[in-house]
Amino acid sequence: MVLNPVISKLSGKLVVLASASPRRLEILNNAGLRFQVVPSWFKETLDKGLFKAPHEYAVETARQKALEVARRMPFKHLKTPDIVIGADTIVTVDGMILEKPVDKDDAYRMLSSLSGKEHSVFTGVAIVLCHEKENEEVDYQLIDFYEETKVKFADLSENMLWEYINSGEPMDKAGGYGIQALGGMLVEYVHGDFLNVVGFPLNHFCKQLDLIYNSSISSSDQESSTVWLSHNGNHATSNLTQPSSANHTHHIQSSPSASPVHKVKRKSSETELNESSMTLVNSLSKHTGDKDSANTKLPPMTSRGQVKEPEDGEPKKEDLQRICDLLDGFRASKALFTASKMCVFDVLHGRPGGLEAAQVAQEIKASLKGTECLLEACVSLGLLRSKERMYENTDLSTRFLLSDAPFSLRSQILHCNDTVWPIFSHLESGVLEGVSQRDKALSQTSKDQDTLHSSQDSKLRFMNAMHNIAKVTGKAIATAFDLSSFRTACDLGGCTGAMADEFTKAHPGLSVTVFDLPTVVQLREHFQPLHTDNRVSFVAGDFFKDDLPKADLYILARILHDCSDEKLDILLSKIADACTPGCGLLLSEIFLDEDRKGPSRGLLQALGMGEGKQRSATEYSLLLKSHGFITAHVRHTGNLLDAMLCIKA
Ligand SMILES: Cc1cn([C@@H]2O[C@H](COP(=O)(O)OP(=O)(O)OP(=O)(O)O)[C@@H](O)[C@H]2O)c(=O)[nH]c1=O
């Protein structure tokens, strides 16, 4: 299989690799392919339980990565690519799918599970051929396949494992290893395509290109193995072929992309999607909340447009369950808030065998009846476990709900209970008036309280809540990008310095100045470990009014979504003025999906009706571009917050 004739077919075409993987870039570069790299913003959070086999998960993720870029480029880059290539590599062992480790402990878990065993590496690849029509609409031809390679690890000693983990190599690689580098030491044998393990099955890819561009089969036959997605199609164009088993070439089973805009258009006779793709499509549309999917079934209606109840008069269980889950959601939240506020989890901590309800009631000075109800509700939510009427914390509550846990969210929970809950109790007024109900809600709440919290107390509680979020998200944000070209950073609104700590830990050459209001800076001692490393400093000021500390990287974590357009302009203009070309701006927020259909965490926050706005990564990118910052990287961290690194032009 000579590669060149295939590659020459692509010359003159705009080929895009929708991947941030440096290995994939190197493999395709070395093969002589000329292409642009546009990393995908698709968050790799598909529910693995929805897929019958691991390779289906990898293929679907590859598809969504490629489609997201193909869909975004006409708007973001003002050009339509000819071909977009997406890929996803996963490692599977003992029925588990291993992606990139979230931290060193996760890398240890993965490598330990691979030690001494044969495992599989699957890379799913999606090729999106974009066909621009006269009316400037674009049809997408989606072809995908996967490749499997077997790899056997030697028995790994604890020392070997930790030495490898501490090299840092595992952290951005599926399964926590890089076979092409130090990880090669761990491998006894490889059966199959080595490059497939590294991240891209080049040989299979070339065979697929050959099928597309040099195939002897007629174009109509060729169409039979692909699916056309179109902006305005109402049906699927798909003559589905069963996945060929010979080389695992798996032709796409039609499913809409995440956006309802791309319908699967049925071109030939109404071929039924086969069972598995129907399941996949329905589950995906459920996953993506894609209400317009060609496959979402609407309830039957009477001639007068009323919903027809099923003959047996019973509502469908799963529909009812979904509505009840939403209905009961506020009760679950309030149970969590109340148990946290009454220190139930702290009381149970360190009590071997647990406590009876009566003992807990006595310690939290509450009624036995109320305590029993609260404890049982917490068990139902997985926050406690009980055995023979003895109650204990679960791992979940131990990790996040104890006051002194490293990743405690208790203060954030109290903030939600004391501040957010009252605001949401006025949601209807907020929707009617379109403005925040904070003043109305909190003035009423403060009147209701026996003792007015001193302003310092309420500031400390708010700082505690922000400290919780920064502790939970700090490492993911601090390690999202290579910041080695920056020496000084300024964390605007950095509050307690928790995020700054993570940046200095992750980047030894970086010092960070936390710039925040005088009241915040003077209260920081309540949160700061005695800084052995003096690379975190604090400067008091108002970033809307005062001069900003000089830095070559500015950090904005959970700030912009709270700013009115006017304040945004003031702040971003001040940062732009303080920056010279090449300076960085690192933004950390919840990035909405491009079609603004999720994540619900972001869209529910917007109901607070603050003066700010939730945005997608593209919207933030355009906003920052209007102030002279060009987006270099976007990272969907899979944590509570995503991140974007921009460079001053
Ligand atoms: C098993 C193995 C994996 N990898 C890398 O692991 C990442 C997988 O993650 P992904 O999600 O498929 O890709 P990504 O890096 O996150 O990039 P993107 O395509 O933007 O998601 C890719 O990098 C691969 O090379 C190696 O470099 N060597 C190996 O032996």
Side-chain angles (χ1 to χ4, degrees):
M1 166 79 230
V2 176
L3 181 59
N4 274 334
V6 171
I7 293 293
S8 61
K9 282 274 181 185
L10 301 186
S11 60
K13 292 183 184 298
L14 176 53
V15 182
V16 173
L17 173 62
S19 174
S21 168
R23 279 74 58 177
R24 289 192 184 116
L25 187 150
E26 186 182 2
I27 289 169
L28 288 174
N29 256 338
N30 292 344
L33 186 63
R34 294 289 159 261
F35 57 94
Q36 277 186 19
V37 174
V38 178
S40 178
W41 293 350
F42 177 70
K43 287 180 293 181
E44 300 175 44
T45 56
L46 292 176
D47 180 348
K48 298 176 181 62
L50 301 178
F51 298 90
K52 292 190 177 120
H55 67 258
E56 286 183 10
Y57 171 79
V59 167
E60 185 55 33
T61 300
R63 254 197 257 162
Q64 295 301 331
K65 286 180 182 179
L67 271 174
E68 190 279 324
V69 170
R71 205 166 61 219
R72 172 167 33 109
M73 282 192 73
F75 306 102
K76 175 86 180 49
H77 299 251
L78 306 180
K79 50 189 169 185
T80 300
D82 295 302
I83 302 174
V84 180
I85 305 161
D88 190 60
T89 302
I90 59 172
V91 170
T92 64
V93 66
D94 301 337
M96 291 185 297
I97 291 181
L98 308 180
E99 295 181 282
K100 296 187 285 289
V102 295
D103 57 26
K104 287 188 173 183
D105 292 339
D106 201 20
Y108 177 80
R109 174 184 67 83
M110 291 184 178
L111 292 165
S112 306
S113 67
L114 297 171
S115 174
K117 288 183 200 159
E118 179 181 90
H119 62 271
S120 287
V121 181
F122 292 98
T123 297
V125 178
I127 303 169
V128 179
L129 307 181
C130 307
H131 304 274
E132 203 159 18
K133 299 188 293 188
E134 301 74 47
N135 59 4
E136 293 191 358
E137 282 192 352
V138 178
D139 275 351
Y140 301 115
Q141 188 181 355
L142 207 47
I143 303 142
D144 67 48
F145 64 89
Y146 69 89
E147 184 66 28
E148 177 182 10
T149 303
K150 299 279 189 188
V151 178
K152 170 101 171 20
F153 268 18
D155 291 325
L156 307 177
S157 67
E158 282 289 296
N159 288 341
M160 172 91 157
L161 268 178
W162 282 109
E163 193 161 325
Y164 182 54
I165 291 167
N166 290 327
S167 75
E169 182 174 288
M171 302 321 289
D172 67 338
K173 297 176 184 66
Y177 75 91
I179 195 170
Q180 71 281 4
L182 295 173
M185 294 184 295
L186 316 178
V187 174
E188 275 186 358
Y189 65 65
V190 177
H191 290 166
D193 179 351
F194 176 85
L195 288 181
N196 181 56
V197 181
V198 179
F200 197 80
L202 183 60
N203 174 270
H204 198 153
F205 174 68
C206 294
K207 285 174 182 165
Q208 197 64 53
L209 284 185
D210 190 44
L211 271 178
I212 296 168
Y213 290 104
N214 300 330
S215 166
S216 54
I217 58 175
S218 68
S219 59
S220 58
D221 294 349
Q222 181 174 319
E223 275 181 2
S224 67
S225 66
T226 64
V227 167
W228 291 77
L229 305 174
S230 163
H231 279 293
N232 54 11
N234 295 319
H235 302 289
T237 302
S238 63
N239 306 317
L240 291 174
T241 53
Q242 290 306 321
S244 67
S245 56
N247 64 355
H248 291 295
T249 294
H250 164 83
H251 291 295
I252 186 170
Q253 295 182 351
S254 62
S255 72
S257 62
S259 153
V261 171
H262 300 290
K263 292 237 186 273
V264 178
K265 189 168 61 177
R266 193 177 298 282
K267 180 180 170 186
S268 59
S269 61
E270 285 293 309
T271 49
E272 274 309 305
L273 296 176
N274 67 37
E275 186 53 37
S276 60
S277 60
M278 279 298 281
T279 311
L280 185 59
V281 163
N282 284 340
S283 48
L284 274 182
S285 53
K286 198 184 301 177
H287 166 76
T288 55
D290 178 353
K291 302 289 176 293
D292 306 323
S293 155
N295 298 289
T296 299
K297 292 209 175 314
L298 296 175
M301 312 290 265
T302 63
S303 56
R304 283 180 293 139
Q306 290 163 317
V307 174
K308 234 171 36 176
E309 285 310 320
E311 274 59 46
D312 60 8
E314 282 288 306
K316 285 177 68 178
K317 264 194 302 191
E318 56 270 28
D319 294 347
L320 189 58
Q321 186 59 55
R322 184 165 167 71
I323 292 296
C324 289
D325 286 349
L326 291 174
L327 192 61
D328 290 335
F330 78 99
R331 292 187 176 90
S333 298
K334 206 53 181 171
L336 168 64
F337 295 172
T338 304
S340 297
K341 187 143 193 173
M342 300 180 86
C343 297
V344 168
F345 307 106
D346 289 330
V347 162
L348 288 168
H349 184 53
R351 310 298 283 264
L355 294 176
E356 292 176 332
Q359 291 170 296
V360 177
Q362 187 178 3
E363 297 227 14
I364 64 173
K365 300 180 177 54
S367 69
L368 177 56
K369 178 177 187 316
T371 303
E372 278 177 340
C373 289
L374 183 60
L375 294 175
E376 287 176 342
C378 287
V379 170
S380 73
L381 297 172
L383 302 177
L384 293 179
R385 62 167 161 267
S386 68
K387 190 176 178 187
E388 289 142 26
R389 312 297 300 159
M390 301 300 280
Y391 292 92
E392 291 178 295
N393 284 324
T394 57
D395 293 348
L396 193 67
S397 50
T398 303
R399 285 194 72 174
F400 294 108
L401 304 181
L402 298 181
S403 301
D404 58 358
F407 295 119
S408 175
L409 286 170
R410 182 172 182 271
S411 298
Q412 177 66 5
I413 289 167
L414 300 187
H415 169 67
C416 288
N417 186 63
D418 299 343
T419 304
V420 181
W421 183 271
I423 293 170
F424 269 67
S425 302
H426 294 74
L427 179 56
E428 192 175 335
S429 305
V431 172
L432 286 170
E433 299 162 24
V435 294
S436 169
Q437 302 298 303
R438 182 187 188 83
D439 296 342
K440 185 196 302 182
L442 299 188
S443 59
Q444 184 176 333
T445 307
S446 56
K447 286 196 196 89
D448 297 348
Q449 275 168 351
D450 301 337
T451 56
L452 277 181
H453 283 290
S454 74
S455 63
Q456 174 159 315
D457 285 356
S458 60
K459 278 191 182 55
L460 275 174
R461 282 188 303 138
F462 180 74
M463 287 176 70
N464 246 316
M466 296 307 107
H467 188 71
N468 279 181
I469 297 297
K471 292 279 286 180
V472 168
T473 60
K475 184 174 177 185
I477 302 303
T479 56
F481 308 112
D482 173 2
L483 303 179
S484 53
S485 59
F486 303 108
R487 288 285 166 271
T488 57
C490 177
D491 186 357
L492 295 170
C495 198
T496 65
M499 180 79 79
D501 282 341
E502 292 300 337
F503 272 82
T504 51
K505 277 184 218 165
H507 305 284
L510 188 69
S511 61
V512 183
T513 301
V514 175
F515 188 64
D516 213 320
L517 296 170
T519 50
V520 171
V521 172
Q522 73 195 19
L523 290 172
R524 72 183 187 281
E525 272 80 14
H526 292 264
F527 304 90
Q528 287 308 309
L530 282 180
H531 266 293
T532 49
D533 177 342
N534 60 0
R535 287 184 293 133
V536 175
S537 59
F538 287 78
V539 171
D542 181 337
F543 50 56
F544 289 118
K545 296 173 186 156
D546 302 324
D547 290 345
L548 304 181
K550 276 294 174 203
D552 49 27
L553 172 68
Y554 286 90
I555 300 167
L556 284 169
R558 300 179 74 228
I559 299 291
L560 295 191
H561 77 276
D562 257 343
C563 295
S564 64
D565 291 350
E566 183 196 0
K567 285 184 178 174
L568 272 179
D569 193 49
I570 293 169
L571 176 55
L572 292 176
S573 301
K574 285 171 67 70
I575 298 171
D577 294 345
C579 283
T580 53
C583 277
L585 192 161
L586 194 154
L587 173 69
S588 170
E589 291 282 357
I590 298 172
F591 292 161
L592 296 185
D593 296 345
E594 292 306 320
D595 54 17
R596 295 183 70 87
K597 297 185 80 170
S600 58
R601 192 162 33 85
L603 295 167
L604 289 173
Q605 257 187 34
L607 282 173
M609 296 296 167
E611 54 183 11
K613 178 186 174 195
Q614 296 287 348
R615 291 177 172 84
S616 69
T618 299
E619 289 168 321
Y620 275 120
S621 184
L622 291 172
L623 171 67
L624 294 177
K625 187 177 179 184
S626 67
H627 286 81
F629 290 94
I630 303 305
T631 301
H633 297 288
V634 174
R635 181 66 71 204
H636 294 282
T637 65
N639 197 305
L640 297 180
L641 295 174
D642 299 315
M644 178 184 289
L645 180 62
C646 302
I647 304 299
K648 185 73 172 57

